[in-house]
Amino acid sequence: MININVGIYGGKAPIPVKVHIDNLDNNNDLYFSRTSSFNETYTLPAGRYSILVAGMNPEDGYTNISVSGNFREEPLPEASFTRKTPSYAVFFYIEV
């Protein structure tokens, strides 16, 4: 089980947040997008995953992104990020 939490602050994001959960051991990947902040939990089979979260911040806004859950290998390079740049792409590597 993993939890992805994305908080958008300072207004509405100009484009949807895109998320790609890539199962590195097979082709059972998950793609989705959200138009606002979200906090969602997913049950993933055991394996190695990369998670990419990308989007744009509201003007003068920022986004907090975190991944938590039950891991064999904790999120690398970190479990959470705050991005204040106009656009962002955040990468996590985990093992479930």
Side-chain angles (χ1 to χ4, degrees), residues 24-91:
L24 300 173
D25 299 317
N26 60 47
N27 290 327
N28 295 329
D29 300 343
L30 177 63
Y31 299 90
F32 61 91
S33 63
R34 300 291 183 262
T35 58
S36 60
S37 299
F38 63 92
N39 185 10
E40 299 180 12
T41 301
Y42 299 91
T43 302
L44 301 175
R48 301 173 307 128
Y49 294 87
S50 67
I51 300 171
L52 180 64
V53 181
M56 291 182 72
N57 280 315
E59 188 174 328
D60 298 323
Y62 65 96
T63 302
N64 289 334
I65 305 146
S66 66
V67 174
S68 60
N70 301 323
F71 305 112
R72 287 186 315 161
E73 177 75 38
E74 293 296 319
L76 297 171
E78 297 178 35
S80 65
F81 294 91
T82 298
R83 292 294 185 248
K84 297 180 180 180
T85 56
S87 63
Y88 59 87
V90 174
F91 175 83

Side-chain angles (χ1 to χ4, degrees), residues 13-28:
I15 64 170
V17 176
K18 306 284 187 192
V19 178
H20 177 200
I21 302 173
D22 183 5
N23 185 322
L24 300 173
D25 299 317
N26 60 47
N27 290 327
N28 295 329

